[in-house]
């Protein structure tokens, strides 16, 4: 009987041991895959970010007229982007700097011929990553190539950050086996063994890619001496480069060998002790899995939890309290692109870490903070009311801006904030976060939390309905043109007008622009509406011509959404519509808002678009001038025909504002540019602007926006009055 029991126990031991080894292998593979995928993702992100920065630099260089200006620009960008060097060359010579030989770059270009046509990422073995972008001057062919060199240190630093606790090595290689970035780690492998593994990995990786099309692979390979290695290989979306991590399998086996031996001898002595050892082994296994989960759910940038871990821990806290007295908060950092441009990528990362750790210090034990995306954060806060939560968020942001951070000495961080008070038991965590995110879309003030409630739901339903009505309303011409006169002060001539859209739906009635324009700007439909309005105005001008009415100049607004993709093809479409209706040159004008013209990466695109409009006989106006922080020096560069002074100059008018307006009018006239004062409502303002020499006035003093038929009557009466 004892023999049977002993045999049963032994059999049970060996079965469990085999099962444990299998699970250990699977856990190790999963761990290797998850960690290596994070490393590969971070490497790809860094390379794409660097590539984007070099492309923007190439656009900047293409706009520089004088080669002597390269030195200042390149040196500043080199330090900001943490580059080893930046070189500009063509097929014949090195343009800058002059201390390089063209032979070196000719050889490189021979190996990388595609670099003369498009942006490329390549490498110098054991030394540097190379980022190349063709430089284009105006409408001419690509004249040169900018080549940025960056050492492997940053990539090796990412590899070392998660390197299996210094028990393995990581390196970057080509699919064919060529070594790109030298190995990082403490694994004792010779160069020959690493080269041997690269060849084996390349063959195994290609075989698995062919079989199942997976980009993340984990498998084992034996060295020539029989040593078994655990391999994780992840395919980057850059040149099909492969991020590889290698861990000796013996290291994983050693973690459990002591416990397996102890278990074997103790189980021979007594079944009770054996059972205890089994329980102990299971506990260790669970701890190991928890450790793996912790590493998989760790944000490499901030050191905090990821959004997946945030959702899991949220459920634990909510279940413990019966889903009450909690709020999920979403915070979107404003102007993060500006922060990255001003302080570089590393500076931006430091700011994100500063935000996370400040929030972490200001939450309670049963609350959470996580970075969900690049510059988005989620909080789980305790509170019984919206006001209580709102005040806590304001306090946390005040502490954030008051705390020390090298990059924020003269800059205040602001957020778009949305929240959701947890009310219903058992909701999906993703839904809670989505509700908080939706609420943030309706935030009217920075740092003030807007909660997802009945009012927000009503706005969302309203927006959904307006989106559904949009296409039919375009077809049915429910969007109507209203004209607001612009009156010439110094000349006896027909007034001009600005075309404004009014949505008059047969069932919904009048829908205010403030309800639908921000919505259509957000979802991109505003571009289609812009083309519709432009064509409707062209039809009106054709009718006036056929009726021998005065051909007044009409301006039409153009949304900054057209410029987001920095694709100038939309400008040609405007010119095609004008030509379709044979509108004379100089009769129709497009108004571009100031804010869309002073975002640095868009400047070359804006200049090109204005040039296309001028070639097509369409004049351009700069709308809302003075609303933001205008660049006076840019007015000549943009070749604007008309400047519209924002109404803020004339609200609570003072001596200083009068001086600004007077000098702005003088400057515009010196540049042969028209001035329009908008938002004018008082006779005293009209008289003052007439004395200052303002060209046109637009505002309720003369007329509000009115239907086209009423504008025609108003125009006739105005001309008769001017004649008298």
């Amino acid at each position: 009987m004892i023999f049977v029991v002993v045999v049963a126990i032994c059999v049970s031991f060996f079965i469990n041991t085999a099962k444990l080894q299998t699970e250990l292998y699977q856990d190790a593979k999963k761990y290797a895959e998850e960690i290596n995928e994070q490393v590969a993702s971070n490497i790809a992100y860094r390379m794409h970010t660097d590539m984007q920065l070099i492309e923007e630099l190439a656009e900047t260089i293409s706009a520089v007229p004088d080669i002597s200006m390269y030195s200042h620009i390149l040196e500043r960008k080199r330090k900001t982007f943490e580059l080893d060097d930046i070189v500009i060359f063509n097929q014949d010579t090195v343009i800058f700097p002059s201390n390089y030989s063209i032979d070196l770059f000719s050889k490189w270009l021979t190996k990388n011929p595609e670099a003369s046509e498009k942006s490329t990422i390549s490498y110098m073995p054991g030394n540097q990553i190379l980022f190349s972008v063709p430089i284009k001057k105006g409408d001419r062919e690509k004249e040169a190539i900018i080549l940025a060199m960056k050492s492997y240190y940053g990539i090796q630093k990412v590899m070392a950050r998660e390197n299996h606790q210094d028990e393995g090595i990581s390196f970057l290689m080509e699919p064919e086996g060529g070594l790109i970035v030298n190995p990082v780690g403490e694994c004792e492998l010779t160069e020959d063994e690493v080269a041997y593994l690269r060849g084996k990995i390349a063959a195994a990786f290609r075989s698995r890619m062919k079989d199942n099309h997976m980009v993340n692979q984990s498998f084992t390979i034996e060295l020539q001496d029989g040593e078994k290695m655990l391999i994780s290989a992840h395919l980057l979306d850059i040149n099909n480069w492969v991020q590889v991590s290698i861990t000796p399998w013996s290291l994983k086996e050693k973690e459990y060998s002591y416990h397996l031996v102890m278990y074997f001898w103790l189980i021979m002595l007594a079944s009770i002790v054996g059972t205890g050892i089994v329980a102990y082994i299971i506990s260790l296994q669970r701890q190991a899995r928890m450790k793996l989960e912790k590493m998989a759910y760790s944000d490499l940038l901030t050191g905090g939890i990821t959004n997946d871990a945030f959702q899991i821990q949220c459920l634990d806290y909510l279940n413990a309290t019966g889903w009450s007295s909690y709020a999920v908060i979403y915070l979107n950092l404003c102007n993060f692109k500006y922060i990255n441009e001003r302080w570089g990528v590393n500076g931006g990362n430091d700011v994100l870490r500063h935000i996370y750790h400040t929030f972490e210090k200001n939450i309670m034990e049963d609350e959470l903070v996580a970075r969900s995306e690049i510059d988005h954060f989620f909080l789980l806060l305790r509170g019984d009311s919206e006001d209580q939560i709102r005040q806590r968020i304001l306090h946390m942001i005040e502490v954030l801006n008051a705390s020390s951070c090298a990059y924020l000495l003269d800059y205040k961080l602001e957020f778009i904030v949305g929240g959701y008070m947890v009310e219903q038991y058992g909701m999906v965590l993703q839904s809670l976060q989505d509700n908080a995110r939706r609420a943030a879309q309706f935030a009217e003030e920075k740092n003030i939390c807007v909660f997802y409630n009945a009012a927000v739901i009503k706005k969302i339903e309203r927006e959904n309905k307006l989106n559904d009505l949009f296409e039919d309303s375009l077809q049915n011409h429910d969007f109507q043109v209203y004209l607001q006169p612009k009156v010439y002060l110094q000349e006896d001539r027909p007034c001009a007008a600005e075309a404004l859209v009014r949505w008059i739906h047969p069932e919904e009635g009048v829908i205010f622009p403030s309800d639908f324009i921000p919505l259509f700007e957000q979802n991109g439909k505003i571009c289609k509406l812009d083309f519709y309005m432009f064509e409707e105005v062209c039809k009106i001008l054709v009718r006036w011509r056929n009726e021998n009415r005065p051909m007044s100049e009409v301006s039409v607004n153009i949304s900054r959404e057209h410029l987001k993709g920095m694709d100038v093809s939309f400008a040609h479409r405007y010119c095609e519509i004008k030509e379709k209706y044979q509108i004379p040159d100089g009769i129709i004008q497009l108004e571009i808002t100031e804010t869309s013209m002073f975002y640095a990466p868009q400047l070359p695109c804006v200049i090109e678009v204005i040039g296309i409009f001028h070639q097509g006989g369409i004049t351009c106006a700069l709308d809302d001038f003075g609303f933001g922080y205008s660049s006076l020096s840019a007015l000549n560069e943009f070749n604007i025909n008309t400047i519209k002074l924002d109404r803020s100059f004339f609200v609570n008018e003072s001596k200083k504002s009068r001086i600004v307006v007077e000098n702005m009018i003088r400057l515009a006239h010196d540049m042969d540019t028209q001035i329009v004062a908008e938002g004018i409502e008082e006779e005293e303002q009209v008289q003052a602007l007439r004395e200052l020499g303002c060209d046109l006035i637009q505002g309720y003093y003369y007329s509000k926006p009115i239907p086209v038929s009423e504008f025609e009557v108003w125009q006739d009466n105005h001309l008769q009055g001017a004649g008298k």
Side-chain angles (χ1 to χ4, degrees):
M1 183 66 180
I2 297 176
F3 175 77
V4 173
V5 171
V6 172
V7 171
I9 292 173
C10 290
V11 171
S12 175
F13 168 76
F14 286 114
I15 292 175
N16 289 332
T17 300
K19 183 178 180 182
L20 181 60
Q21 289 176 335
T22 301
E23 291 183 357
L24 172 60
Y25 178 69
Q26 295 301 325
D27 285 347
K29 282 184 58 178
K30 182 179 179 182
Y31 165 78
E33 288 177 3
E34 291 176 348
I35 297 303
N36 199 45
E37 184 174 4
Q38 288 184 353
V39 172
S41 177
N42 276 275
I43 291 173
Y45 171 76
R46 289 173 69 98
M47 288 190 182
H48 282 304
T49 301
D50 289 340
M51 188 73 254
Q52 182 179 359
L53 294 173
I54 302 306
E55 288 175 341
E56 292 176 359
L57 177 57
E59 292 183 10
T60 301
I61 293 298
S62 68
V64 175
D66 185 359
I67 192 171
S68 66
M69 299 176 66
Y70 286 175
S71 176
H72 173 70
I73 295 174
L74 295 179
E75 178 61 20
R76 178 163 54 86
K77 294 299 184 180
R78 185 189 68 78
K79 292 180 179 179
T80 301
F81 301 162
E82 298 180 345
L83 300 172
D84 293 346
D85 208 347
I86 302 176
V87 179
I88 301 176
F89 66 96
N90 57 28
Q91 292 181 349
D92 301 321
T93 184
V94 175
I95 300 174
F96 189 91
S98 59
N99 59 333
Y100 276 101
S101 169
I102 188 59
D103 294 338
L104 176 64
F105 300 102
S106 296
K107 293 178 181 178
W108 174 83
L109 191 59
T110 301
K111 294 180 180 180
N112 300 273
E114 71 278 5
S116 61
E117 301 295 331
K118 63 180 182 179
S119 302
T120 64
I121 299 177
S122 57
Y123 73 97
M124 188 177 298
N127 193 356
Q128 294 171 321
I129 295 292
L130 307 179
F131 302 90
S132 66
V133 181
I135 300 176
K136 184 178 180 181
K137 288 280 189 177
D139 295 330
R140 290 175 290 171
E141 294 296 324
K142 303 176 181 63
E143 295 186 343
I145 296 174
I146 181 169
L147 182 67
M149 310 175 189
K150 190 165 187 177
S151 70
Y152 292 155
Y153 175 74
I155 295 176
Q156 290 176 323
K157 189 175 180 181
V158 172
M159 292 178 178
R161 198 174 292 163
E162 290 295 346
N163 194 22
H164 305 285
Q165 301 175 339
D166 292 332
E167 296 174 348
I169 62 172
S170 295
F171 55 82
L172 196 64
M173 59 176 276
E174 292 183 309
E176 296 79 12
L179 184 62
I180 299 173
V181 176
N182 292 333
V184 177
E186 300 295 331
C187 183
E188 297 181 355
L189 292 177
T190 65
E191 292 185 5
D192 291 340
E193 288 175 329
V194 172
Y196 172 77
L197 279 173
R198 290 207 317 269
K200 298 276 287 186
I201 291 168
F205 192 71
R206 287 194 299 269
S207 174
R208 285 164 171 76
M209 282 291 294
K210 182 178 180 181
D211 292 341
N212 51 32
H213 305 289
M214 293 178 63
V215 297
N216 199 5
Q217 304 284 339
S218 287
F219 44 86
T220 57
I221 291 178
E222 288 188 3
L223 295 177
Q224 294 171 330
D225 61 1
E227 173 75 6
K228 188 163 61 173
M229 312 299 290
L230 176 61
I231 310 295
S232 176
H234 189 86
L235 186 68
L236 276 67
D237 60 348
I238 299 172
N239 302 333
N240 285 332
W241 289 350
V242 183
Q243 163 62 26
V244 178
S245 69
I246 302 175
T247 306
W249 180 246
S250 59
L251 293 174
K252 294 298 176 183
E253 292 178 333
K254 288 178 182 178
E255 293 179 8
Y256 290 84
S257 61
Y258 170 78
H259 303 291
L260 292 175
V261 172
M262 181 71 74
Y263 172 48
F264 174 78
W265 289 109
L266 291 178
I267 205 170
M268 296 297 100
L269 300 176
S271 59
I272 297 177
V273 177
T275 303
I277 295 299
V278 171
Y280 181 54
I281 294 294
I282 293 174
S283 175
L284 287 177
Q285 188 179 22
R286 288 177 179 174
Q287 291 177 16
R289 288 179 177 175
M290 289 176 63
K291 182 179 179 181
L292 291 173
E293 289 178 357
K294 182 178 180 181
M295 297 184 71
Y297 293 137
S298 176
D299 182 4
L300 295 178
L301 177 65
T302 65
I305 61 175
T306 62
N307 191 55
D308 290 338
F310 177 84
Q311 293 179 356
I312 293 172
Q313 295 183 36
C314 273
L315 282 175
D316 294 338
Y317 288 153
L318 292 173
N319 288 331
T321 58
W323 290 67
S324 62
S325 301
Y326 268 112
V328 175
I329 306 299
Y330 165 79
L331 301 100
N332 182 9
L333 177 62
C334 300
N335 299 322
F336 186 60
K337 285 186 177 179
Y338 168 77
I339 293 173
N340 267 337
E341 286 181 358
R342 181 171 179 182
W343 294 295
V345 175
N346 289 337
N349 289 340
D350 285 344
V351 170
L352 294 176
R353 280 189 284 267
H354 174 63
I355 293 171
Y356 176 83
H357 291 302
T358 302
F359 286 165
E360 186 181 38
K361 292 176 182 177
N362 286 272
I363 61 174
M364 294 182 285
E365 185 177 353
D366 51 355
E367 297 178 334
L368 294 171
V369 58
R371 185 179 72 101
S372 67
E373 298 173 38
I374 293 177
D375 57 349
H376 300 177
F377 295 83
F378 275 105
L379 299 173
L380 179 70
L381 300 179
R382 296 209 68 170
D384 296 322
S385 68
E386 294 180 359
D387 287 339
Q388 181 184 4
I389 297 292
R390 193 176 287 116
Q391 291 303 316
R392 281 198 62 192
I393 296 170
L394 283 172
H395 174 71
M396 292 170 71
I397 296 175
E398 289 175 1
V399 171
L400 174 66
N401 283 313
S403 58
S404 60
C405 179
Y407 296 100
L408 302 176
L409 297 178
D410 59 345
Y411 186 83
K412 296 295 183 183
L413 297 174
E414 293 182 316
F415 297 85
I416 301 297
V417 189
Y420 180 77
M421 297 295 297
V422 179
E423 299 173 350
Q424 184 178 351
Y425 180 85
M427 287 187 66
V428 177
L429 257 298
Q430 185 64 50
S431 297
L432 300 181
Q433 291 180 300
D434 289 344
N435 289 344
R437 197 190 300 266
R438 290 191 190 98
Q441 296 175 1
F442 299 95
E444 298 178 355
E445 297 182 62
K446 306 289 178 60
N447 301 336
I448 303 299
C449 182
V450 176
F451 282 90
Y452 187 88
N453 50 30
V456 170
I457 294 174
K458 186 176 181 180
K459 290 179 180 179
I460 293 174
E461 292 174 347
R462 175 68 169 168
E463 287 187 350
N464 291 337
K465 187 168 187 178
L466 295 181
N467 275 323
D468 293 339
L469 294 174
F470 176 76
E471 293 294 338
D472 286 343
S473 289
L474 277 183
Q475 295 294 326
N476 299 330
H477 294 276
D478 296 333
F479 292 101
Q480 299 183 15
V481 176
Y482 273 47
L483 298 176
Q484 185 174 27
K486 292 189 287 188
V487 177
Y488 287 91
L489 289 179
Q490 312 298 339
E491 304 177 41
D492 182 13
R493 56 189 289 188
C495 65
E498 178 181 359
L500 300 166
V501 63
R502 293 294 182 266
W503 192 355
I504 304 175
H505 194 270
E507 297 177 0
E508 299 295 321
V510 177
I511 304 173
F512 295 103
S514 58
D515 290 338
F516 65 85
I517 288 181
L519 171 64
F520 294 157
E521 284 180 338
Q522 184 179 5
N523 60 28
K525 292 182 178 179
I526 192 68
C527 297
K528 194 170 185 178
L529 182 58
D530 282 352
F531 287 125
Y532 168 88
M533 286 292 295
F534 186 80
E535 188 160 8
E536 290 297 298
V537 168
C538 288
K539 294 176 182 178
I540 293 170
L541 291 172
V542 169
R543 181 172 61 80
W544 286 353
R545 180 178 60 197
N546 295 338
E547 295 175 357
N548 293 321
R549 292 190 58 82
M551 290 286 283
S552 299
E553 181 185 70
V554 180
S555 61
V556 185
N557 289 290
I558 176 174
S559 172
R560 59 179 176 269
E561 295 300 310
H562 289 282
L563 298 168
K564 269 194 173 179
M566 290 189 278
D567 179 4
V568 301
S569 60
F570 76 93
H572 294 289
R573 182 176 175 186
Y574 275 101
C575 295
E576 290 169 0
I577 295 173
K578 171 185 172 293
E579 289 303 313
K580 172 184 175 181
Y581 291 95
Q582 299 182 353
I583 306 299
D585 292 349
I587 294 297
I588 196 163
Q589 183 175 79
L590 288 172
E591 295 189 7
I592 307 174
T593 59
E594 175 192 347
T595 53
S596 66
M597 300 184 70
F598 292 93
Y599 175 51
Q602 291 181 341
L603 295 186
C605 176
V606 174
I607 294 172
E608 184 176 358
V609 165
I610 292 175
I612 294 171
F613 287 152
H614 284 162
Q615 291 175 5
I618 300 173
T619 62
C620 297
L622 178 57
D623 196 11
D624 297 333
F625 187 82
F627 178 76
Y629 299 97
S630 307
S631 175
L632 296 177
S633 63
L635 294 179
N636 184 51
E637 183 178 5
F638 287 135
N639 195 17
I640 293 295
N641 305 100
T642 302
I643 297 173
K644 298 190 71 176
L645 295 178
D646 186 74
R647 67 183 303 273
S648 60
F649 284 114
F650 313 107
V651 177
N652 299 322
E653 186 178 3
S654 64
K655 183 179 180 180
K656 288 184 178 180
S657 65
R658 181 183 176 92
I659 293 173
V660 172
V661 171
E662 180 179 4
N663 283 278
M664 193 64 243
I665 292 174
R666 184 180 298 112
L667 175 63
H669 287 167
D670 289 343
M671 299 172 64
D672 196 23
T673 303
Q674 270 192 340
I675 284 284
V676 179
E678 57 181 342
I680 304 303
E681 300 179 359
E682 305 293 337
E683 183 175 355
E684 292 80 3
Q685 294 173 327
V686 175
Q687 184 59 35
L689 288 166
R690 180 178 284 111
E691 294 173 359
L692 295 176
C694 183
D695 298 305
L696 295 101
I697 284 181
Q698 177 181 351
Y700 275 40
Y701 175 78
Y702 286 111
S703 174
K704 64 181 180 180
I706 53 181
V708 176
S709 58
E710 294 182 22
F711 172 81
E712 293 169 352
V713 174
W714 189 96
Q715 185 186 52
D716 292 341
N717 294 336
H718 175 74
L719 287 173
Q720 292 175 6
K724 294 179 181 179

